[in-house]
Amino acid sequence: MTFIENPVYVLAVLCLMVILASYAGKTKLGGKLGAALLVILFTAVIANLKLIPSASNSIPLYSGIFTYLAPISIFYLLLNVNLQSIKKAGAPMIILFLIGSLATVLGILAAWYLIAPEEILGENANIIAGMLTGTYTGGSVNFNAVALEYDFQEKGALYAGTIAVDNVVTAAWIIINILFPVVLRTFWKDKKIETKVTNETKDEEEEEEDRMDFTSLIWLLFLGIAAFYISELIGLWLPSVPFILILSTLGILMAQIPLISNLKGSHTLGLYLIFLFLAVIGAYCEISAVVELKEVGWTLFLFTSLAVLIHGVVIILLGGISFRDWEMVAIASQANIGGSSSAIALAESFKRKELILPGILVGTLGNALGTYLGFLMVGLL
């Protein structure tokens, strides 16, 4: 094991990137970009400089953050979610998500006829198109479901290259989704869907109320770990129910218990874990892995990038006509392209707490819908 693969060293670097992004986000320029975007960019730079592992030489620490910390962060964020505030957000988010799913299918089909990837990728092209349709409808679960059905994981370099391209495009799309609401508002004003809480407070007051004490910390750590374990046990009895939906339900139910809802720091702790998750997303943005594939890599990159770009154009246009809430459109799009965890990170970045639960729900819907659309695309092409 080299020193850059040492999990303690890597975790320290990831934590440092969160610190740097937090401070940089308070500057005049950084404030326009946001800490969530900055932590992705900072970590992507050091990963591509080979100072920490990336996707091609991933370490168990990264998998642990994806497997454990990302779901637990969602649980913590749900402990202070306001159910009344999400009623108006729920239906529009689902509609936008379905629009985004349609946009993904249109994007893949349009990119197929414009790029003609089958000329370079051969008989594997339609399988890759199906995998990308699945993953850009609701996350990587669908990507692997299609891959396993056709034994695509046995393709070695091509399978690894497709994952590398997917990682780069997904990281880039998070950045675009953070930025485009700000850019669009300069010439196409949105009308944010109001979901006001009766006693609305300013950010500074919320931070003061969420300031953690020792008693809250020991309870939150216990609850997060226990809820994760209980969700796994329930999943054994209900294997058809997505794990994240079980964990989210536990979080919502526990939030109704005064002893738990009054604990301080759940939002702060959840947000910190989300930032570590985003740091790993940045580390997985391995540009060199795409370049090394040469013609195949560039074909994959162009095909994938064009498909996602068309998805973005369609969901922005249709979302603008129907709801014109750019932050909600961005979160719905991110739920399609990156799954529920990255959608929730976006909701936190926009300070739209009322969209956390809808983001989880549409992400779960994407897990169910994406696999079907993936196989449909393989058959069509």
Side-chain angles (χ1 to χ4, degrees):
M1 177 192 297
T2 62
F3 84 92
I4 68 165
E5 295 175 322
N6 186 305
V8 177
Y9 160 76
V10 177
L11 182 58
V13 172
L14 295 180
C15 292
L16 178 60
M17 293 303 103
V18 174
I19 293 171
L20 293 177
S22 178
Y23 278 98
K26 295 176 182 177
T27 64
K28 188 174 181 179
L29 175 60
K32 295 179 180 179
L33 300 176
L37 169 56
L38 292 172
V39 75
I40 296 171
L41 292 176
F42 289 168
T43 316
V45 169
I46 62 168
N48 281 279
L49 291 174
K50 309 298 182 185
L51 296 177
I52 59 172
S54 193
S56 61
N57 59 337
S58 181
I59 58 175
L61 172 67
Y62 291 164
S63 299
I65 289 174
F66 283 135
T67 304
Y68 299 105
L69 295 192
I72 290 175
S73 71
I74 294 171
F75 170 81
Y76 286 141
L77 293 173
L78 286 173
L79 289 183
N80 60 5
V81 73
N82 186 291
L83 292 177
Q84 294 298 320
S85 69
I86 66 169
K87 286 183 178 179
K88 288 184 180 179
M93 178 69 89
I94 292 173
I95 294 170
L96 283 170
F97 178 81
L98 293 175
I99 290 173
S101 301
L102 173 63
T104 293
V105 172
L106 294 176
I108 292 290
L109 288 172
W112 178 272
Y113 290 107
L114 290 172
I115 303 297
E118 71 276 13
E119 295 179 5
I120 303 297
L121 304 177
E123 61 183 10
N124 297 305
N126 64 330
I127 299 173
I128 292 172
M131 290 161 58
L132 294 176
T133 301
T135 196
Y136 294 149
T137 299
S140 59
V141 171
N142 306 317
F143 181 96
N144 290 318
V146 177
L148 289 170
E149 176 65 23
Y150 296 98
D151 296 321
F152 190 77
Q153 71 276 12
E154 298 177 5
K155 301 294 182 180
L158 186 57
Y159 177 66
T162 307
I163 292 174
V165 169
D166 176 37
N167 288 332
V168 171
V169 172
T170 299
W173 196 247
I174 295 177
I175 295 171
I176 291 170
N177 273 328
I178 291 173
L179 292 176
F180 93 73
V182 178
V183 175
L184 274 180
R185 284 193 188 107
T186 60
F187 58 89
W188 192 2
K189 297 293 183 182
D190 63 348
K191 48 178 183 179
K192 184 184 292 186
I193 295 176
E194 296 295 343
T195 53
K196 290 183 179 178
V197 185
T198 52
N199 294 320
E200 211 167 17
T201 56
K202 294 181 179 179
D203 290 344
E204 293 81 4
E205 293 173 342
E206 288 180 350
E207 288 178 10
E208 184 66 31
E209 290 176 3
D210 200 48
R211 189 158 293 177
M212 189 181 298
D213 55 41
F214 181 72
T215 301
S216 294
L217 175 61
I218 58 178
W219 268 107
L220 287 170
L221 291 177
F222 165 73
L223 289 171
I225 296 168
F228 188 97
Y229 179 64
I230 293 169
S231 298
E232 285 190 325
L233 292 180
I234 295 174
L236 296 176
W237 290 93
L238 301 170
S240 60
V241 180
F243 169 79
I244 194 63
L245 192 57
I246 297 172
L247 184 60
S248 300
T249 303
L250 281 179
I252 295 166
L253 292 175
M254 288 185 183
Q256 312 313 308
I257 302 172
L259 174 66
I260 295 175
S261 61
N262 290 332
L263 293 174
K264 295 181 179 180
S266 60
H267 179 263
T268 299
L269 190 55
L271 185 59
Y272 182 73
L273 297 182
I274 282 285
F275 270 64
L276 284 178
F277 164 76
L278 290 176
V280 179
I281 292 288
Y284 269 42
C285 184
E286 189 176 16
I287 298 172
S288 61
V290 178
V291 175
E292 287 171 5
L293 286 169
K294 298 179 181 177
E295 188 177 19
V296 170
W298 286 113
T299 300
L300 279 170
F301 181 73
L302 289 173
F303 175 64
T304 305
S305 299
L306 183 59
V308 172
L309 181 62
I310 292 170
H311 156 92
V313 171
V314 172
I315 194 172
I316 287 172
L317 288 176
L318 296 183
I321 294 169
S322 54
F323 298 109
R324 216 160 80 243
D325 180 342
W326 299 136
E327 292 173 350
M328 186 179 284
V329 170
I331 293 166
S333 172
Q334 193 56 49
N336 283 129
I337 303 301
S340 57
S341 294
S342 59
I344 291 160
L346 216 60
E348 278 296 327
S349 177
F350 294 145
K351 303 188 188 312
R352 297 290 296 273
K353 293 181 183 179
E354 78 279 7
L355 298 181
I356 291 175
L357 184 56
I360 294 170
L361 294 176
V362 295
T364 304
L365 176 61
N367 288 338
L369 182 62
T371 302
Y372 292 105
L373 292 180
F375 286 125
L376 175 63
M377 190 61 65
V378 174
L380 286 175
L381 301 177

